Amino acid sequence: MELAQRLTRLGTETSFSVAQAAANWKARGNTVYPFHLGDIDIPTAGHIVEALDRAIADGHTGYCPGAGIPELREALAADIGTARGMDLNAENIVVTTGGKPVITKFLQSVMNPGQEVLYPNPGFPIYESQIEYLGGTAVPYRYESTADGFALDLDQIRSLITDNTVAIIYNDLQNPISAESTPEERRALAELAQEFDLWVLSDEAYFDTRYEGRSESIASLPGMAERTVILYTFSKKYAMTGSRLGCAAAPKQIADVISTLNTNDESCTNHYVQWAGVAALTGPQDSVADMLGILRERRDVAAGLVNQVPGMHVAVPQSTFYLFPDVTDAVARVGATSVGEFATAALHNTGVSFCTREHFGRRQSGEDREYIRLAYSGISAEDIGAGLGRLRDWVASY
């Protein structure tokens, strides 16, 4: 008996393999500083947890509409629309089990087998995985290193678009590289989408995880609302990673399809968790500000220490909870033959565990620099200081 051939095209989040290596090292009695997984070690706010418990006690434990309960859809439309300057209502909102399913259901809605979808690389690995699993052609586009971080290579993106291109995935405030588009870059990408009549998936998981400045959505630009699906998640803003609650904010044409896909796949998103989502959106927002304060402190400690490590440097991002430093010279300094070998040596010599560029998509032609990703959402400022201090001293010893 054989399994389906399409499984050979299915990828995964390879960062979990790093987590396993870190766990194995820790099990042998070693200290590990976990910078590898972008989970959050800050508790969900008490009023949100109370709303979840109350919903269970009130009997909200059965089925509910596939698109989500009306109260949550209305609250999401108000929250997403107000923050982005858009006119949304409940019919534009489909509640999902976290933000990740929006990727798959967007592709199922707009992509036929053989069609091309552009996606960021380095980028969240599930983009590439799902495009290929569903029979599409995954076409990676790149970023260029700048003094402030990274910028889209707009000329390359234009060159990649063909008559067979149907959509582009855009992750402003990006995982893993924390890239943030300028208004000009965002407008240029919107113009390309309209010129070539492309659907856009705007992954806005980190829209509210920012320390300076103000987030903007490509969907709010003229001519974009009718071709853009916004991926929204409660995971980052409200520290609800395990609650698995998110939504697609989409043109009604797409929202109706995703709702039907929900009915086919899960029936509905967990009923009582949706009431926790209502409480998160409509209740006090102090916990959001408090968490951002904690994450900002961690960012500052981490960035300051990274830039003290010989052969490593990083621009300080205004959003997300990742650093993506260039470590090319550090890799060479310690005598590692690859960034993967550098990561293993760092774990065994310092306890610092992290992902590398290799965990975020296949390398593109011409890439000659080495990068790692440091997630600081699940590690205290004190441990950040201890771990990256050990990394600095280890690299400096060569």
Side-chain angles (χ1 to χ4, degrees), residues 62-93:
Y63 291 126
C64 64
I69 61 174
E71 294 85 351
L72 181 56
R73 295 173 73 195
E74 291 165 3
L76 281 163
D79 181 80
I80 295 170
T82 299
R84 292 157 179 78
M86 298 175 64
D87 183 17
L88 297 174
N89 55 52
E91 70 178 9
N92 299 117
I93 304 297

PDB file of all heavy atoms in Angstrom, residues 62-93:
ATOM      1  N   GLY A  62     -20.502  23.453  21.840  1.00  0.00           N
ATOM      2  CA  GLY A  62     -20.965  22.723  20.673  1.00  0.00           C
ATOM      3  C   GLY A  62     -20.532  23.394  19.384  1.00  0.00           C
ATOM      4  O   GLY A  62     -19.658  24.267  19.362  1.00  0.00           O
ATOM      5  N   TYR A  63     -21.151  22.974  18.294  1.00  0.00           N
ATOM      6  CA  TYR A  63     -20.861  23.575  16.997  1.00  0.00           C
ATOM      7  C   TYR A  63     -21.301  25.040  16.964  1.00  0.00           C
ATOM      8  O   TYR A  63     -22.188  25.466  17.710  1.00  0.00           O
ATOM      9  CB  TYR A  63     -21.601  22.825  15.893  1.00  0.00           C
ATOM     10  CG  TYR A  63     -21.109  21.425  15.626  1.00  0.00           C
ATOM     11  CD1 TYR A  63     -21.996  20.350  15.663  1.00  0.00           C
ATOM     12  CD2 TYR A  63     -19.784  21.171  15.326  1.00  0.00           C
ATOM     13  CE1 TYR A  63     -21.574  19.059  15.406  1.00  0.00           C
ATOM     14  CE2 TYR A  63     -19.339  19.887  15.063  1.00  0.00           C
ATOM     15  CZ  TYR A  63     -20.233  18.828  15.103  1.00  0.00           C
ATOM     16  OH  TYR A  63     -19.808  17.552  14.855  1.00  0.00           O
ATOM     17  N   CYS A  64     -20.699  25.775  16.053  1.00  0.00           N
ATOM     18  CA  CYS A  64     -21.122  27.151  15.774  1.00  0.00           C
ATOM     19  C   CYS A  64     -20.924  27.379  14.279  1.00  0.00           C
ATOM     20  O   CYS A  64     -20.427  26.494  13.569  1.00  0.00           O
ATOM     21  CB  CYS A  64     -20.329  28.145  16.615  1.00  0.00           C
ATOM     22  SG  CYS A  64     -18.558  28.186  16.261  1.00  0.00           S
ATOM     23  N   PRO A  65     -21.309  28.523  13.735  1.00  0.00           N
ATOM     24  CA  PRO A  65     -21.175  28.737  12.287  1.00  0.00           C
ATOM     25  C   PRO A  65     -19.742  28.565  11.789  1.00  0.00           C
ATOM     26  O   PRO A  65     -18.778  28.939  12.471  1.00  0.00           O
ATOM     27  CB  PRO A  65     -21.652  30.178  12.109  1.00  0.00           C
ATOM     28  CG  PRO A  65     -22.579  30.409  13.249  1.00  0.00           C
ATOM     29  CD  PRO A  65     -21.991  29.640  14.400  1.00  0.00           C
ATOM     30  N   GLY A  66     -19.597  28.006  10.605  1.00  0.00           N
ATOM     31  CA  GLY A  66     -18.275  27.771  10.039  1.00  0.00           C
ATOM     32  C   GLY A  66     -17.467  29.034   9.862  1.00  0.00           C
ATOM     33  O   GLY A  66     -16.233  29.010   9.930  1.00  0.00           O
ATOM     34  N   ALA A  67     -18.133  30.152   9.619  1.00  0.00           N
ATOM     35  CA  ALA A  67     -17.430  31.424   9.443  1.00  0.00           C
ATOM     36  C   ALA A  67     -17.092  32.088  10.767  1.00  0.00           C
ATOM     37  O   ALA A  67     -16.354  33.077  10.796  1.00  0.00           O
ATOM     38  CB  ALA A  67     -18.276  32.377   8.600  1.00  0.00           C
ATOM     39  N   GLY A  68     -17.614  31.549  11.874  1.00  0.00           N
ATOM     40  CA  GLY A  68     -17.361  32.139  13.178  1.00  0.00           C
ATOM     41  C   GLY A  68     -18.618  32.714  13.785  1.00  0.00           C
ATOM     42  O   GLY A  68     -19.597  32.998  13.079  1.00  0.00           O
ATOM     43  N   ILE A  69     -18.597  32.906  15.087  1.00  0.00           N
ATOM     44  CA  ILE A  69     -19.770  33.474  15.750  1.00  0.00           C
ATOM     45  C   ILE A  69     -19.912  34.941  15.340  1.00  0.00           C
ATOM     46  O   ILE A  69     -18.915  35.643  15.137  1.00  0.00           O
ATOM     47  CB  ILE A  69     -19.689  33.337  17.283  1.00  0.00           C
ATOM     48  CG1 ILE A  69     -18.466  34.068  17.853  1.00  0.00           C
ATOM     49  CG2 ILE A  69     -19.657  31.863  17.689  1.00  0.00           C
ATOM     50  CD1 ILE A  69     -18.411  34.094  19.382  1.00  0.00           C
ATOM     51  N   PRO A  70     -21.128  35.440  15.193  1.00  0.00           N
ATOM     52  CA  PRO A  70     -21.335  36.819  14.723  1.00  0.00           C
ATOM     53  C   PRO A  70     -20.628  37.852  15.588  1.00  0.00           C
ATOM     54  O   PRO A  70     -20.075  38.836  15.074  1.00  0.00           O
ATOM     55  CB  PRO A  70     -22.855  36.985  14.770  1.00  0.00           C
ATOM     56  CG  PRO A  70     -23.392  35.602  14.654  1.00  0.00           C
ATOM     57  CD  PRO A  70     -22.400  34.714  15.350  1.00  0.00           C
ATOM     58  N   GLU A  71     -20.635  37.647  16.910  1.00  0.00           N
ATOM     59  CA  GLU A  71     -20.025  38.626  17.806  1.00  0.00           C
ATOM     60  C   GLU A  71     -18.532  38.801  17.527  1.00  0.00           C
ATOM     61  O   GLU A  71     -18.005  39.920  17.575  1.00  0.00           O
ATOM     62  CB  GLU A  71     -20.244  38.190  19.261  1.00  0.00           C
ATOM     63  CG  GLU A  71     -21.685  38.206  19.714  1.00  0.00           C
ATOM     64  CD  GLU A  71     -22.458  36.940  19.379  1.00  0.00           C
ATOM     65  OE1 GLU A  71     -21.921  36.080  18.619  1.00  0.00           O
ATOM     66  OE2 GLU A  71     -23.591  36.799  19.863  1.00  0.00           O
ATOM     67  N   LEU A  72     -17.848  37.693  17.246  1.00  0.00           N
ATOM     68  CA  LEU A  72     -16.413  37.787  16.964  1.00  0.00           C
ATOM     69  C   LEU A  72     -16.167  38.363  15.583  1.00  0.00           C
ATOM     70  O   LEU A  72     -15.256  39.187  15.399  1.00  0.00           O
ATOM     71  CB  LEU A  72     -15.757  36.407  17.090  1.00  0.00           C
ATOM     72  CG  LEU A  72     -14.241  36.378  16.849  1.00  0.00           C
ATOM     73  CD1 LEU A  72     -13.516  37.357  17.774  1.00  0.00           C
ATOM     74  CD2 LEU A  72     -13.688  34.970  17.033  1.00  0.00           C
ATOM     75  N   ARG A  73     -16.946  37.975  14.612  1.00  0.00           N
ATOM     76  CA  ARG A  73     -16.762  38.521  13.257  1.00  0.00           C
ATOM     77  C   ARG A  73     -16.964  40.029  13.247  1.00  0.00           C
ATOM     78  O   ARG A  73     -16.221  40.775  12.592  1.00  0.00           O
ATOM     79  CB  ARG A  73     -17.715  37.832  12.283  1.00  0.00           C
ATOM     80  CG  ARG A  73     -17.430  36.340  12.111  1.00  0.00           C
ATOM     81  CD  ARG A  73     -18.491  35.676  11.270  1.00  0.00           C
ATOM     82  NE  ARG A  73     -18.383  36.042   9.858  1.00  0.00           N
ATOM     83  CZ  ARG A  73     -19.339  35.834   8.959  1.00  0.00           C
ATOM     84  NH1 ARG A  73     -20.490  35.285   9.335  1.00  0.00           N
ATOM     85  NH2 ARG A  73     -19.147  36.174   7.707  1.00  0.00           N
ATOM     86  N   GLU A  74     -17.964  40.494  13.972  1.00  0.00           N
ATOM     87  CA  GLU A  74     -18.219  41.936  14.029  1.00  0.00           C
ATOM     88  C   GLU A  74     -17.087  42.662  14.753  1.00  0.00           C
ATOM     89  O   GLU A  74     -16.640  43.739  14.315  1.00  0.00           O
ATOM     90  CB  GLU A  74     -19.557  42.195  14.719  1.00  0.00           C
ATOM     91  CG  GLU A  74     -20.758  41.752  13.891  1.00  0.00           C
ATOM     92  CD  GLU A  74     -22.045  41.670  14.702  1.00  0.00           C
ATOM     93  OE1 GLU A  74     -22.008  42.026  15.911  1.00  0.00           O
ATOM     94  OE2 GLU A  74     -23.072  41.251  14.140  1.00  0.00           O
ATOM     95  N   ALA A  75     -16.598  42.067  15.851  1.00  0.00           N
ATOM     96  CA  ALA A  75     -15.503  42.693  16.593  1.00  0.00           C
ATOM     97  C   ALA A  75     -14.223  42.732  15.758  1.00  0.00           C
ATOM     98  O   ALA A  75     -13.474  43.724  15.781  1.00  0.00           O
ATOM     99  CB  ALA A  75     -15.265  41.946  17.908  1.00  0.00           C
ATOM    100  N   LEU A  76     -13.967  41.670  15.014  1.00  0.00           N
ATOM    101  CA  LEU A  76     -12.791  41.640  14.147  1.00  0.00           C
ATOM    102  C   LEU A  76     -12.894  42.659  13.025  1.00  0.00           C
ATOM    103  O   LEU A  76     -11.915  43.345  12.699  1.00  0.00           O
ATOM    104  CB  LEU A  76     -12.602  40.231  13.572  1.00  0.00           C
ATOM    105  CG  LEU A  76     -11.959  39.210  14.505  1.00  0.00           C
ATOM    106  CD1 LEU A  76     -12.200  37.791  14.004  1.00  0.00           C
ATOM    107  CD2 LEU A  76     -10.462  39.476  14.654  1.00  0.00           C
ATOM    108  N   ALA A  77     -14.064  42.758  12.408  1.00  0.00           N
ATOM    109  CA  ALA A  77     -14.250  43.735  11.333  1.00  0.00           C
ATOM    110  C   ALA A  77     -13.972  45.141  11.848  1.00  0.00           C
ATOM    111  O   ALA A  77     -13.308  45.948  11.171  1.00  0.00           O
ATOM    112  CB  ALA A  77     -15.660  43.624  10.767  1.00  0.00           C
ATOM    113  N   ALA A  78     -14.455  45.442  13.044  1.00  0.00           N
ATOM    114  CA  ALA A  78     -14.243  46.770  13.616  1.00  0.00           C
ATOM    115  C   ALA A  78     -12.769  47.000  13.939  1.00  0.00           C
ATOM    116  O   ALA A  78     -12.205  48.060  13.622  1.00  0.00           O
ATOM    117  CB  ALA A  78     -15.099  46.935  14.869  1.00  0.00           C
ATOM    118  N   ASP A  79     -12.134  46.015  14.557  1.00  0.00           N
ATOM    119  CA  ASP A  79     -10.742  46.164  14.969  1.00  0.00           C
ATOM    120  C   ASP A  79      -9.813  46.259  13.766  1.00  0.00           C
ATOM    121  O   ASP A  79      -8.986  47.171  13.679  1.00  0.00           O
ATOM    122  CB  ASP A  79     -10.342  44.973  15.844  1.00  0.00           C
ATOM    123  CG  ASP A  79      -8.910  45.076  16.337  1.00  0.00           C
ATOM    124  OD1 ASP A  79      -8.679  45.806  17.308  1.00  0.00           O
ATOM    125  OD2 ASP A  79      -8.016  44.431  15.745  1.00  0.00           O
ATOM    126  N   ILE A  80      -9.935  45.326  12.836  1.00  0.00           N
ATOM    127  CA  ILE A  80      -9.048  45.312  11.662  1.00  0.00           C
ATOM    128  C   ILE A  80      -9.311  46.535  10.793  1.00  0.00           C
ATOM    129  O   ILE A  80      -8.377  47.188  10.318  1.00  0.00           O
ATOM    130  CB  ILE A  80      -9.250  44.013  10.855  1.00  0.00           C
ATOM    131  CG1 ILE A  80      -8.813  42.810  11.698  1.00  0.00           C
ATOM    132  CG2 ILE A  80      -8.473  44.054   9.546  1.00  0.00           C
ATOM    133  CD1 ILE A  80      -9.187  41.460  11.087  1.00  0.00           C
ATOM    134  N   GLY A  81     -10.580  46.859  10.575  1.00  0.00           N
ATOM    135  CA  GLY A  81     -10.914  47.997   9.736  1.00  0.00           C
ATOM    136  C   GLY A  81     -10.436  49.314  10.317  1.00  0.00           C
ATOM    137  O   GLY A  81      -9.858  50.149   9.609  1.00  0.00           O
ATOM    138  N   THR A  82     -10.644  49.526  11.614  1.00  0.00           N
ATOM    139  CA  THR A  82     -10.231  50.777  12.246  1.00  0.00           C
ATOM    140  C   THR A  82      -8.714  50.943  12.200  1.00  0.00           C
ATOM    141  O   THR A  82      -8.196  52.014  11.871  1.00  0.00           O
ATOM    142  CB  THR A  82     -10.715  50.823  13.708  1.00  0.00           C
ATOM    143  OG1 THR A  82     -12.140  50.749  13.726  1.00  0.00           O
ATOM    144  CG2 THR A  82     -10.266  52.098  14.395  1.00  0.00           C
ATOM    145  N   ALA A  83      -7.982  49.870  12.522  1.00  0.00           N
ATOM    146  CA  ALA A  83      -6.519  49.950  12.562  1.00  0.00           C
ATOM    147  C   ALA A  83      -5.916  50.192  11.192  1.00  0.00           C
ATOM    148  O   ALA A  83      -4.817  50.761  11.079  1.00  0.00           O
ATOM    149  CB  ALA A  83      -5.947  48.671  13.160  1.00  0.00           C
ATOM    150  N   ARG A  84      -6.624  49.785  10.138  1.00  0.00           N
ATOM    151  CA  ARG A  84      -6.076  49.882   8.789  1.00  0.00           C
ATOM    152  C   ARG A  84      -6.771  50.928   7.933  1.00  0.00           C
ATOM    153  O   ARG A  84      -6.442  51.073   6.739  1.00  0.00           O
ATOM    154  CB  ARG A  84      -6.149  48.496   8.102  1.00  0.00           C
ATOM    155  CG  ARG A  84      -5.215  47.485   8.753  1.00  0.00           C
ATOM    156  CD  ARG A  84      -5.651  46.069   8.490  1.00  0.00           C
ATOM    157  NE  ARG A  84      -4.743  45.089   9.090  1.00  0.00           N
ATOM    158  CZ  ARG A  84      -4.737  44.777  10.399  1.00  0.00           C
ATOM    159  NH1 ARG A  84      -5.598  45.365  11.219  1.00  0.00           N
ATOM    160  NH2 ARG A  84      -3.888  43.893  10.866  1.00  0.00           N
ATOM    161  N   GLY A  85      -7.734  51.621   8.493  1.00  0.00           N
ATOM    162  CA  GLY A  85      -8.458  52.633   7.729  1.00  0.00           C
ATOM    163  C   GLY A  85      -9.288  52.039   6.613  1.00  0.00           C
ATOM    164  O   GLY A  85      -9.388  52.612   5.524  1.00  0.00           O
ATOM    165  N   MET A  86      -9.907  50.873   6.877  1.00  0.00           N
ATOM    166  CA  MET A  86     -10.695  50.170   5.867  1.00  0.00           C
ATOM    167  C   MET A  86     -12.140  50.026   6.338  1.00  0.00           C
ATOM    168  O   MET A  86     -12.421  50.004   7.535  1.00  0.00           O
ATOM    169  CB  MET A  86     -10.103  48.780   5.605  1.00  0.00           C
ATOM    170  CG  MET A  86      -8.702  48.780   5.062  1.00  0.00           C
ATOM    171  SD  MET A  86      -8.027  47.088   4.935  1.00  0.00           S
ATOM    172  CE  MET A  86      -9.151  46.367   3.716  1.00  0.00           C
ATOM    173  N   ASP A  87     -13.031  49.906   5.383  1.00  0.00           N
ATOM    174  CA  ASP A  87     -14.441  49.698   5.678  1.00  0.00           C
ATOM    175  C   ASP A  87     -14.739  48.203   5.556  1.00  0.00           C
ATOM    176  O   ASP A  87     -14.956  47.683   4.465  1.00  0.00           O
ATOM    177  CB  ASP A  87     -15.310  50.498   4.695  1.00  0.00           C
ATOM    178  CG  ASP A  87     -16.797  50.384   5.003  1.00  0.00           C
ATOM    179  OD1 ASP A  87     -17.129  49.967   6.128  1.00  0.00           O
ATOM    180  OD2 ASP A  87     -17.617  50.706   4.110  1.00  0.00           O
ATOM    181  N   LEU A  88     -14.720  47.502   6.697  1.00  0.00           N
ATOM    182  CA  LEU A  88     -14.979  46.066   6.724  1.00  0.00           C
ATOM    183  C   LEU A  88     -16.236  45.797   7.536  1.00  0.00           C
ATOM    184  O   LEU A  88     -16.571  46.545   8.452  1.00  0.00           O
ATOM    185  CB  LEU A  88     -13.810  45.315   7.362  1.00  0.00           C
ATOM    186  CG  LEU A  88     -12.452  45.380   6.660  1.00  0.00           C
ATOM    187  CD1 LEU A  88     -11.380  44.693   7.516  1.00  0.00           C
ATOM    188  CD2 LEU A  88     -12.515  44.730   5.288  1.00  0.00           C
ATOM    189  N   ASN A  89     -16.925  44.717   7.197  1.00  0.00           N
ATOM    190  CA  ASN A  89     -18.037  44.266   8.023  1.00  0.00           C
ATOM    191  C   ASN A  89     -17.939  42.758   8.213  1.00  0.00           C
ATOM    192  O   ASN A  89     -17.021  42.118   7.683  1.00  0.00           O
ATOM    193  CB  ASN A  89     -19.385  44.685   7.437  1.00  0.00           C
ATOM    194  CG  ASN A  89     -19.551  44.217   6.003  1.00  0.00           C
ATOM    195  OD1 ASN A  89     -19.371  43.037   5.711  1.00  0.00           O
ATOM    196  ND2 ASN A  89     -19.891  45.136   5.100  1.00  0.00           N
ATOM    197  N   ALA A  90     -18.879  42.188   8.937  1.00  0.00           N
ATOM    198  CA  ALA A  90     -18.784  40.781   9.310  1.00  0.00           C
ATOM    199  C   ALA A  90     -18.698  39.852   8.106  1.00  0.00           C
ATOM    200  O   ALA A  90     -18.064  38.795   8.186  1.00  0.00           O
ATOM    201  CB  ALA A  90     -19.973  40.391  10.187  1.00  0.00           C
ATOM    202  N   GLU A  91     -19.304  40.221   6.978  1.00  0.00           N
ATOM    203  CA  GLU A  91     -19.274  39.317   5.830  1.00  0.00           C
ATOM    204  C   GLU A  91     -17.881  39.215   5.215  1.00  0.00           C
ATOM    205  O   GLU A  91     -17.621  38.311   4.428  1.00  0.00           O
ATOM    206  CB  GLU A  91     -20.292  39.752   4.779  1.00  0.00           C
ATOM    207  CG  GLU A  91     -19.958  41.040   4.056  1.00  0.00           C
ATOM    208  CD  GLU A  91     -20.971  41.404   2.988  1.00  0.00           C
ATOM    209  OE1 GLU A  91     -22.037  40.754   2.914  1.00  0.00           O
ATOM    210  OE2 GLU A  91     -20.692  42.344   2.217  1.00  0.00           O
ATOM    211  N   ASN A  92     -16.977  40.125   5.601  1.00  0.00           N
ATOM    212  CA  ASN A  92     -15.587  40.051   5.125  1.00  0.00           C
ATOM    213  C   ASN A  92     -14.703  39.205   6.027  1.00  0.00           C
ATOM    214  O   ASN A  92     -13.521  38.987   5.715  1.00  0.00           O
ATOM    215  CB  ASN A  92     -14.973  41.453   5.039  1.00  0.00           C
ATOM    216  CG  ASN A  92     -15.683  42.365   4.086  1.00  0.00           C
ATOM    217  OD1 ASN A  92     -16.225  43.389   4.504  1.00  0.00           O
ATOM    218  ND2 ASN A  92     -15.708  42.002   2.822  1.00  0.00           N
ATOM    219  N   ILE A  93     -15.229  38.717   7.129  1.00  0.00           N
ATOM    220  CA  ILE A  93     -14.424  38.033   8.144  1.00  0.00           C
ATOM    221  C   ILE A  93     -14.797  36.555   8.216  1.00  0.00           C
ATOM    222  O   ILE A  93     -15.975  36.204   8.335  1.00  0.00           O
ATOM    223  CB  ILE A  93     -14.628  38.664   9.538  1.00  0.00           C
ATOM    224  CG1 ILE A  93     -14.311  40.167   9.510  1.00  0.00           C
ATOM    225  CG2 ILE A  93     -13.787  37.939  10.575  1.00  0.00           C
ATOM    226  CD1 ILE A  93     -12.883  40.505   9.172  1.00  0.00           C
TER     227      ILE A  93
END
